[in-house]
Amino acid sequence: MPEENVDQDRQATRRRRRRLLLVAIGFLYLLSVPWYRSPSDALNILWGLPDWVTVAVVCYALVAVFNSLAWRLTDIDDGDALPLTLSDPADGPPDEESL
Amino acid sequence: MSFSEMGVVALVVYLALLLGVSEVASRMRRDGSPSDHFLGGRELGVFVLFLTLYATAYSGNSLLGYPGKAYRSGFHFIMSTGFMMAIVVVFHILVPKLRPAAVQRGYVTPGDWVRDRFRHDRMGGGLTRMVSVLMIVALANFLLAQLKAMGEVASLVTGDMIPYSWGVIGLAGMILFYETRGGMRAVAWTDAAQGILMLVGLMTLLAWLMSSAGGLTAVTESVAATRPAAVALPDAEGVANWFSTIALLGLASVIYPQAIQRVYAAQSGRVLTRSMAWMTFMPLATTLVVTLIGVAAIPRLELASGVASDGVMPALLIEWSEEGAGSRLAAVLVFIGALSAIMSTADSCLLSLGSVLARDFLGKTGTDARDTRLGKMLAALVLVFIIPIALQRDITLWRLIELKMEILIQCVPAFLLALHWRRQSAGATLVGLLVGTGFAMTATLAGTSQWGGVHVGVIGLFLNGCVVVLLSLFSGKADRVATKRVVVPAD
């Protein structure tokens, strides 16, 4: 397989994994807020904190790990600076391809 | 040595260090261009970028406002860890598209993006100016909160040997001096040192609180006995408020001009993603810690009358300092850590204010030293106007943050949506901005900050977004032709 195709496959896999991580982060945020619990539930201490607080802390710790992985899978190609800048009066917008 | 004497010595040493850093930064200047001054020549590496992002995001509000909020609302304020982390999550929508455009087009301010994106739209200029007005208001509000906090901390750490008003004026002058001399380099390097101080100070204070209270379980039991509502599950309104606060702060904070400028200032895209990968852990080391500190103060300060929310952290530190010489020194260092967090946010606000006023509001988008000088002059003028307001001590920091966010969040469609949706027009974005801002401001001035737990700024953003989408979809053919030509960075 040509090297270019291998690179494209690798990038597509990274993008797919990043999307999955971001979806998982969304679910963790939903789980972190105790909308599914009754306000009248008795206090139950888990790992030193009220159990609903422990759930939130665990969710946010997992968000941190997943988000860190998602950033490591994010590719930002700066490219080269265009010859024209905002200060140039004759400046037009760059082609989409150039960005 | 007494607490206040130690405080004065620590303050003098800290300020001398800041001057040294600014001197080195000013010698590193390459030219006087806006890019060199306001973005540090776009050469911030992973370590400095990470620490400057951290010190800028975590401010006087985080160290003085958040413990007070946790003290008032109890464990519900655990939401703060979620909303601070949401900022680094929401950056996924902004950074991968904005960063390449910024490098290739030479953006210096957030308004440069708006101007460029809507360049061929006749309402583009008006939109850029309106966005810049909202950003200036938000930044000035944020700066005001930091100046107030600086005065409070300087007065507390020196036992009022440096009064509140002297603290505000003197420290504001110090920030102006090193920011004017060293620009973004001085700000970023002092931020890095300030970030480390803040982190060490917080960890030390938490360790003392937990050990003196007998551990986390003992703290929770004690809080439950003192104030049962502080450990109770939130009701429906509390749940709505939790989601709303995550949306409000997560979305609005990525539009901070100083945060956007750090995205521009990174040495490379890879440096930026690596810094973000580290930044995502910081709410666990900072916001979670200050929440626990505020909650742990509930049984300790319950009997102390007249403890205002912003005064919780100082009250704890003063109590700590009375336990012996070692504790006194540690408490002074935490105070200096808090002061450094406040100053690091204030200097970033001031630097951004100068550039946004000059480039986005006045339209001076040149690249030479004259434009930089204009930015510096405007920053100094802003300080002259804000200091007299900061000398009034009657507004709490938390309310200032909320007001700022409700305004700033209305700029979200001009960035997060415009980066991804080609058909969005400037006219629609401007009308949406006016509708959202008008709604949020009217409700706030009428004394309503939330409806059913949802912030008026979030409701305003919803209305704003609906207007932008509907007007962009149904705008005239000519506008659609124009919007097809605008810049939308490709994936």
Side-chain angles (χ1 to χ4, degrees), chain B residues 417-473:
Chain B
L417 191 58
L419 275 163
H420 297 269
W421 192 37
R422 203 164 298 173
R423 284 182 70 172
Q424 186 175 337
S425 72
T429 311
L430 182 58
V431 174
L433 195 74
L434 292 172
V435 168
T437 308
F439 175 84
M441 291 306 292
T442 308
T444 303
L445 291 175
T448 307
S449 62
Q450 296 174 13
W451 278 349
V454 180
H455 294 84
V456 290
V458 174
I459 301 171
L461 176 64
F462 176 74
L463 296 174
N464 176 347
C466 289
V467 169
V468 173
V469 170
L470 290 174
L471 285 184
S472 292
L473 285 175

Side-chain angles (χ1 to χ4, degrees), chain A residues 18 29 32-34 38 41 48 50 52-53 60 64 67-68 71 76 78 80 82 86-87 91-94 96 98-99, chain B residues 76 82 85-86 88 92 95 99 104-105 112 119-120 216-217 220 231-233 242 268-269 276-277 280 365 422 487:
Chain A
R18 180 171 171 265
Y29 265 105
S32 71
V33 184
S38 165
D41 284 357
W52 58 274
V53 178
Y60 296 140
N67 196 28
S68 181
W71 275 110
I76 300 178
D78 282 345
D80 298 320
L82 295 178
L86 284 176
S87 58
D91 172 17
E96 282 172 27
S98 70
L99 294 174
Chain B
H76 301 153
M85 211 169 274
V88 196
H92 280 287
V95 170
R99 164 73 194 183
Q104 292 168 32
R105 302 284 293 157
D112 284 344
R119 190 169 192 80
H120 292 279
L216 195 53
T217 305
T220 302
V231 296
L233 279 144
W242 191 325
S268 67
M276 290 291 174
T280 191
T365 54
R422 203 164 298 173
V487 185

Side-chain angles (χ1 to χ4, degrees), chain B residues 300-340:
Chain B
R300 281 176 178 270
L301 301 180
E302 190 67 27
L303 296 177
S305 59
V307 175
S309 59
D310 295 347
V312 169
M313 182 73 140
L316 280 173
L317 289 175
I318 286 167
E319 187 187 325
W320 188 21
S321 73
E322 286 162 0
E323 292 207 344
S327 303
R328 206 152 43 237
L329 178 64
V332 166
L333 289 179
V334 176
F335 263 122
I336 297 296
L339 183 65
S340 65

Side-chain angles (χ1 to χ4, degrees), chain A residues 3 6 8 13 18 26 31-32 37 40 42 44-45 49 53 59 62-64 66 71 79 88 91 94:
Chain A
E3 200 171 314
V6 174
Q8 279 175 354
T13 307
R18 180 171 171 265
L31 192 65
S32 71
R37 298 278 302 270
S40 57
N44 183 23
I45 295 179
L49 295 166
V53 178
C59 284
L62 286 173
V63 167
F66 289 1
W71 275 110
D88 293 307
D91 172 17

Side-chain angles (χ1 to χ4, degrees), chain B residues 330-368:
Chain B
V332 166
L333 289 179
V334 176
F335 263 122
I336 297 296
L339 183 65
S340 65
I342 296 160
M343 288 180 71
S344 64
T345 305
D347 59 26
S348 306
C349 281
L350 194 63
L351 191 71
S352 288
L353 257 173
S355 58
V356 170
L357 273 166
R359 292 178 71 87
D360 300 346
F361 188 69
L362 297 178
K364 304 288 183 191
T365 54
T367 55
D368 61 24

